[in-house]
Amino acid sequence: MDNNSSLLIIDDENIVRDSLSRWFREDGFTIGTAENAAAALRKLQDQRWDVILLDIKMPGMDGMELQQRIMEIDPTATIIFITAHASVDTAVQALKHGAFDYVTKPIDPDYLSHLVQNALKQRHLATENIKLKESITEFFKADDIIGDSPQMQNVYELIQTVAPTDTTVMIRGESGTGKELIARAIHSNSQRRYFPIVTVNCGALPEGILESELFGHERGAFTGAQYRRKGKLELADGGTLFLDEVGNISMKTQMDLLRVLETKQFTRVGGNEIIKVDFRVICATNKDLERAIADGTFREDLYYRLNVFTIVVPPLRERKSDIPLMANYFVKKYAQIMGKPITTIASGAMDVLVRYDWPGNVRELENAIERAMVVGTPPCISPQNLPFQLMDKKKKHSGGSLAAMEKEHIEGTLVGNNWNISRSADILGIDRVTLYNKIAKYGLQKPA
Amino acid sequence: VTALIHILTASHVAGKDLATIARAAERTFAAPVQVEAIRLDLDKAFDASRSQYSSGILLAEILSQISSTTNEKYIVVVDVDLYIPVLTFIFGEAQFRGPAAIVSTHRLSNLFYGIPNDKGKLVIRLAKEVVHELGHTFGLYHCHQFECVMRSSTYVEEIDLKRVEMCAQCASLIHEACQTGMEKA
């Protein structure tokens, strides 16, 4: 049993240190001993110990005080107190300050063996837990929000600002702009990230079903309710509730929802038991809620409850410089999924993508790239691989004189390269001076 | 290099039973085993407050009596109840990779647990503990194998569950240790 665990024995009596060392050495432990607090603290600076056996009565700093010093050095230290002078007071104090156990000498050998084994198991679980949490955090960092345009930089800043708080967030933006990704990014960077984010698509469900979906139901609450079912509000306990398309909720459900948001408690459909929940609310909508309030289809009090901190996700047409970055990201993504060696987008095709207005936003762009990846031939996507409506749009825009076409082409290339003059000149096959002349000639201006 | 093992008795265990135990040790360690008597000053190790004998003090006395060489091991058999300061009792204790070990028959006998004496069982248990403690002097750690004699036992019932032999892995480590002059395992 050559285990890799380490054990630090802190006791002022030499005979105790020796006998414990011999006992645990036979189990394959790496043993360290210390005769007083100073020696123990030196040993703790040198390495981490899996289990610490600590005596209470020692000359100088006693075991109780040493425990606190040890916890300052290693807050996850697993300490077992072994004492010949047990008292309820010291036992309570020791356990209160995070000791694993408190035993009195002499100890049954079987009990001591099990105690140390259990302490080790707990230590390993705690270490594993920390590692898993770290890996979750790493995983969340690699989210799918793409874009380095000033508009998106602003969105990132807002996410960073609001995520650590518990504030209700309303995300507004056109369909397909990635509102759910923003909600997930907020949740992933919040204190609630180890609990679930539960999405309710309010626009997809009829009123009765949405109510049951949100609040859950008791057995027999309605025809077909054969079992008790937890609702999304209950499932989101501890985490985040994401209400997508919140502008589509009926007036009755709006009222119920408002009550829950204010009291954080509710009853299941057909039930009397009051259920208390704790969640953060993030909602999203592409509707003009102010107009809905004026029209009387959205409750003003609910609007103010939800509209605490707003993030507006800009449509893709307003941040065209993000298009090449996103398009390349989707190419990589689908090349991996499809196992197809397409690695780039031809400059002509990129030009088409940049010029297009993308009414369906990022979702439409992703679909266009996915389609192009299906029909395209390696190693790059050509303009012919893009959907017809994109090409039609290009044709419509490209009509007119040669000068108008040149202006449009230069502008598209500049926008597509985030107004990087050297790179744009390279793509256009002209030198930088010529490009500056053309910019001046056509009165092109870098967007603010 | 062939090891020489000494079983030194300060107990009431019969000579023929010690011979049986010596054969078990011979098989396991592939080394000659000699059974001899030893006189120990038990009073020096007695703790009146516990009515038990300190194995640490007894081991120190054993070391003072033997002429330690790298290829000799000594295990002493006593009848008294042994302890180390932190624990309520021990069946035996060894110097890890050292020359000496000690085992007690006190808690190996059925009489200690208030049930009828079974001499045969006592001898088998003692053989297992002798081999176990000698294993530590050769540098073996406790083993996870259920039936291996090197498995840790803190109850007499656990001693009954294991065999007097070592598992294949411990046996090969012992073989290696004997080949390299009993220094490593």
Side-chain angles (χ1 to χ4, degrees):
Chain A
M1 200 195 312
D2 190 0
N3 72 46
N4 294 317
S5 307
S6 56
L7 186 77
L8 180 62
I9 300 159
I10 308 168
D11 199 303
D12 59 322
E13 287 182 70
N14 188 28
I15 194 163
V16 172
R17 293 196 305 276
D18 282 355
S19 57
L20 276 173
S21 299
R22 283 204 294 271
W23 174 261
F24 283 107
R25 202 172 174 202
E26 291 173 0
D27 279 326
F29 281 96
T30 302
I31 306 287
T33 59
E35 68 280 12
N36 54 38
L41 291 169
R42 274 198 301 277
K43 294 259 177 195
L44 283 153
Q45 299 287 358
D46 293 344
Q47 73 168 89
R48 281 181 64 144
W49 297 90
D50 290 316
V51 179
I52 298 167
L53 300 182
L54 179 55
D55 187 20
I56 289 184
K57 279 209 168 174
M58 290 191 293
M61 190 192 295
D62 70 1
M64 302 301 292
E65 195 183 337
L66 180 57
Q67 179 194 18
Q68 295 184 36
R69 297 285 176 93
I70 292 171
M71 291 308 226
E72 281 169 17
I73 296 170
D74 178 8
T76 62
T78 308
I79 297 172
I80 297 172
F81 275 102
I82 296 183
T83 180
H85 312 278
S87 75
V88 174
D89 188 41
T90 53
V92 169
Q93 285 302 315
L95 296 174
K96 235 173 150 177
H97 287 106
F100 180 78
D101 212 331
Y102 179 101
V103 287
T104 51
K105 290 185 232 177
I107 313 154
D108 180 79
D110 188 58
Y111 182 74
L112 183 61
S113 286
H114 280 108
L115 189 61
V116 171
Q117 288 305 324
N118 288 341
L120 275 176
K121 270 184 204 162
Q122 188 191 289
R123 169 92 171 170
H124 290 153
L125 281 173
T127 313
E128 193 178 53
N129 191 263
I130 290 166
K131 282 183 185 163
L132 284 170
K133 280 186 174 178
E134 280 170 0
S135 69
I136 287 171
T137 308
E138 283 300 309
F139 175 72
F140 283 146
K141 274 180 192 163
D143 45 35
D144 282 345
I145 306 173
I146 311 287
D148 57 7
S149 60
Q151 295 95 319
M152 284 311 288
Q153 295 295 341
N154 183 39
V155 170
Y156 298 147
E157 273 172 33
L158 292 174
I159 292 172
Q160 291 301 327
T161 307
V162 77
T165 70
D166 226 16
T167 306
T168 301
V169 182
M170 179 178 278
I171 305 165
R172 307 185 76 160
E174 292 179 9
S175 179
T177 46
K179 295 186 287 294
E180 185 164 353
L181 285 180
I182 306 283
R184 287 189 180 279
I186 294 169
H187 173 74
S188 306
N189 289 288
S190 73
Q191 299 295 322
R192 297 175 179 268
R193 62 184 173 277
Y194 302 119
F195 291 88
I197 174 166
V198 176
T199 301
V200 184
N201 191 339
C202 308
L205 301 168
E207 182 184 323
I209 296 177
L210 178 63
E211 195 185 4
S212 160
E213 191 77 5
L214 280 172
F215 303 103
H217 59 74
E218 294 291 342
R219 187 179 173 202
F222 48 81
T223 311
Q226 293 182 348
Y227 305 99
R228 171 196 274 186
R229 185 170 175 236
K230 282 186 179 180
K232 296 277 174 96
L233 297 177
E234 227 171 318
L235 294 173
D237 192 25
T240 302
L241 181 72
F242 176 50
L243 300 169
D244 201 5
E245 306 295 350
V246 75
N248 294 356
I249 303 179
S250 72
M251 288 301 275
K252 184 193 175 297
T253 311
Q254 280 180 40
M255 202 167 67
D256 293 341
L257 190 61
L258 177 68
R259 198 163 47 237
V260 176
L261 297 183
E262 278 174 352
T263 61
K264 291 284 166 77
Q265 57 186 42
F266 64 95
T267 54
R268 296 192 192 100
V269 175
N272 297 316
E273 185 195 350
I274 292 172
I275 296 155
K276 289 184 177 168
V277 281
D278 167 38
F279 52 74
R280 179 196 201 159
V281 177
I282 301 176
C283 62
T285 184
N286 58 2
K287 279 204 166 175
D288 184 348
L289 290 185
E290 291 75 14
R291 179 177 289 177
I293 292 167
D295 294 346
T297 55
F298 200 85
R299 292 181 67 99
E300 193 170 1
D301 42 12
L302 180 61
Y303 171 80
Y304 289 119
R305 198 81 186 76
L306 295 174
N307 193 24
V308 182
F309 188 94
T310 306
I311 296 178
V312 179
V313 192
L316 200 50
R317 65 179 172 279
E318 287 178 13
R319 49 184 179 112
K320 290 205 164 188
S321 62
D322 285 338
I323 292 173
L325 197 66
M326 279 187 181
N328 284 321
Y329 170 80
F330 291 132
V331 167
K332 269 188 202 157
K333 177 180 166 180
Y334 286 103
Q336 202 172 12
I337 292 170
M338 296 176 187
K340 211 166 174 180
I342 294 178
T343 51
T344 53
I345 301 170
S347 64
M350 188 63 89
D351 188 35
V352 172
L353 293 176
V354 172
R355 281 167 190 285
Y356 186 59
D357 276 346
W358 301 106
N361 291 297
V362 185
R363 190 181 290 130
E364 189 184 1
L365 173 64
E366 183 172 359
N367 289 347
I369 299 293
E370 186 181 359
R371 181 193 177 278
M373 291 291 290
V374 172
V375 298
T377 45
C380 69
I381 291 175
S382 62
Q384 292 73 33
N385 302 139
L386 296 171
F388 290 117
Q389 63 268 34
L390 270 65
M391 301 298 288
D392 291 342
K393 191 92 178 172
K394 187 191 172 193
K395 276 176 196 157
K396 197 176 88 186
H397 281 284
S398 321
S401 68
L402 189 60
M405 282 179 73
E406 185 182 59
K407 178 189 173 192
E408 202 171 329
H409 184 63
I410 291 170
E411 188 178 17
T413 308
L414 284 166
V415 170
N417 291 286
N418 205 16
W419 275 75
N420 183 318
I421 300 294
S422 301
R423 208 185 309 149
S424 302
D426 256 8
I427 291 168
L428 293 167
I430 54 176
D431 58 48
R432 293 169 69 245
V433 177
T434 313
L435 181 55
Y436 276 119
N437 290 337
K438 299 269 183 199
I439 290 169
K441 178 182 166 190
Y442 295 123
L444 300 175
Q445 279 188 337
K446 188 178 179 179
Chain B
V1 181
T2 308
L4 177 59
I5 294 167
H6 303 265
I7 297 178
L8 307 176
T9 179
S11 71
H12 292 99
V13 180
K16 67 179 177 57
D17 294 331
L18 287 169
T20 306
I21 293 164
R23 280 197 295 279
E26 266 174 2
R27 276 197 309 275
T28 306
F29 299 100
V33 179
Q34 290 179 2
V35 178
E36 299 151 46
I38 187 172
R39 292 181 77 83
L40 293 175
D41 184 359
L42 294 173
D43 290 344
K44 226 162 62 178
F46 185 66
D47 183 324
S49 65
R50 299 179 56 140
S51 293
Q52 285 177 307
Y53 294 77
S54 163
S55 73
I57 294 172
L58 289 175
L59 268 175
E61 196 191 335
I62 293 161
L63 284 171
S64 72
Q65 289 193 34
I66 60 173
S67 54
S68 174
T69 58
T70 51
N71 61 347
E72 283 182 86
K73 302 286 183 191
Y74 297 83
I75 184 156
V76 173
V77 181
V78 294
D79 290 331
V80 294
D81 194 12
L82 298 176
Y83 79 95
I84 58 173
V86 179
L87 300 180
T88 49
F89 75 93
I90 54 168
F91 290 123
E93 190 183 7
Q95 286 188 306
F96 195 78
R97 286 187 188 141
I102 187 169
V103 287
S104 163
T105 60
H106 190 80
R107 290 178 189 247
L108 300 181
S109 166
N110 275 1
L111 292 172
F112 180 82
Y113 304 97
I115 49 178
N117 196 19
D118 185 337
K119 212 182 95 186
K121 217 168 209 177
L122 170 67
V123 173
I124 292 169
R125 287 171 182 167
L126 184 58
K128 290 174 185 176
E129 282 307 285
V130 164
V131 172
H132 180 96
E133 297 303 341
L134 280 171
H136 287 316
T137 66
F138 280 87
L140 287 194
Y141 294 116
H142 284 150
C143 178
H144 284 298
Q145 294 292 326
F146 192 66
E147 290 188 312
C148 178
V149 73
M150 290 311 296
R151 186 180 172 86
S152 170
S153 314
T154 45
Y155 277 101
V156 76
E157 290 86 348
E158 287 176 332
I159 299 175
D160 290 340
L161 285 172
K162 62 189 185 185
R163 295 184 305 151
V164 78
E165 288 85 19
M166 288 182 181
C167 68
Q169 196 184 356
C170 290
S172 87
L173 288 170
I174 277 297
H175 179 70
E176 195 184 312
C178 291
Q179 292 293 311
T180 54
M182 305 162 72
E183 282 299 305
K184 292 176 183 174

